[in-house]
Amino acid sequence: MIGPVLSASARSHQWRVALALLGIPMKSPPGEIAFNSVANACEKSGEWQQTIAVVATMSDIRLATDSFSYCTMMSALCKGQKWKEVLLVYKQLEEKGIEKNTILCGAAINACAKGHLWNMASKLLASMADEQIQRSLVTFSSVISAFSASACWTRALEILQEMERKSLVYPDQIAFSALIAACGNASQWKEAGHMSRRCRML
């Protein structure tokens, strides 16, 4: 019964309850699903330190960590504004033999965007293409947002064009808004106006 109870605790953000349940002596110790549920409960509640600790415990007791475990850690660190720590977790994927996917890469790129690490965000996007990992609207928009914060409007525009021409992913209002912001930050009012008109046509 422990699995459903832990899952219910995760859904209701009762991370303290979930952690307490893990400490109860049982004939059959909790497995990967139970620990991932607890980590998820901590992440949903913004408890990034507890999330990392739960996943670390999985390794300590030789339970397998998977892409869900790492995505949960990265999401928790993002909520804690620990941008560089997200990238450290991302780098561990290859060491652990965990296959990268769109969601994991997107989490790393999102951290770069929020941490104003535009150069790293661009490199991660390019590596996705090299490794044949599907690039989504969210990943492209996050990179554009990274350039927007740094007023690198020409690079933001290049990402938009790459999105449309090479990946056949079509920008939405979020992507255009980020590019408009990049143009505005660089005082490129004509280009900002052009993008604004394109955005209104969506």
Side-chain angles (χ1 to χ4, degrees):
M1 293 296 292
I2 189 68
V5 174
L6 287 172
S7 296
S9 299
R11 287 194 297 271
S12 58
H13 300 186
Q14 297 295 323
W15 66 274
R16 287 187 178 87
V17 173
L19 277 176
L21 287 170
L22 275 185
I24 296 175
M26 305 175 201
K27 290 183 179 179
S28 299
E32 290 90 349
I33 295 176
F35 271 88
N36 277 327
S37 294
V38 175
N40 188 45
C42 295
E43 181 272 327
K44 295 295 184 186
S45 302
E47 298 290 333
W48 67 269
Q49 291 172 312
Q50 294 289 355
T51 305
I52 301 300
V54 171
V55 177
T57 299
M58 292 178 69
S59 296
D60 292 341
I61 61 176
R62 298 185 179 180
L63 288 177
T65 50
D66 56 15
S67 59
F68 182 87
S69 310
Y70 278 81
C71 190
T72 301
M73 281 198 295
M74 292 167 72
S75 178
L77 288 167
C78 271
K79 287 182 178 179
Q81 299 184 5
K82 301 294 180 180
W83 318 125
K84 292 183 179 180
E85 286 81 355
V86 173
L87 295 179
L88 291 175
V89 172
Y90 179 79
K91 289 179 179 178
Q92 292 175 14
L93 294 175
E94 289 186 10
E95 298 172 11
K96 299 292 184 179
I98 296 173
E99 186 176 357
K100 296 175 185 175
N101 56 36
T102 304
I103 295 175
L104 288 168
C105 293
I109 289 173
N110 182 50
C112 291
K114 290 182 176 178
H116 307 304
L117 305 172
W118 55 267
N119 192 41
M120 181 59 71
S122 181
K123 287 181 178 179
L124 287 173
L125 186 69
S127 72
M128 288 180 72
D130 294 339
E131 297 174 36
Q132 297 184 328
I133 300 171
Q134 183 177 359
R135 300 185 293 178
S136 68
L137 177 59
V138 174
T139 53
F140 278 107
S141 296
S142 294
V143 177
I144 292 174
S145 296
F147 283 116
S148 172
S150 303
C152 299
W153 72 276
T154 54
R155 286 293 290 121
L157 182 59
E158 288 172 5
I159 296 297
L160 183 80
Q161 293 169 343
E162 182 180 358
M163 179 194 304
E164 294 175 310
R165 295 175 185 173
K166 294 184 179 180
S167 297
L168 299 179
V169 177
Y170 299 100
D172 62 357
Q173 290 184 341
I174 295 176
F176 275 118
S177 295
L179 184 51
I180 290 167
C183 294
N185 290 339
S187 300
Q188 296 293 324
W189 312 119
K190 182 177 179 180
E191 195 65 40
H194 173 64
M195 290 299 156
S196 181
R197 288 190 292 274
R198 286 192 63 184
C199 184
R200 287 197 296 269
M201 293 173 63
L202 294 177

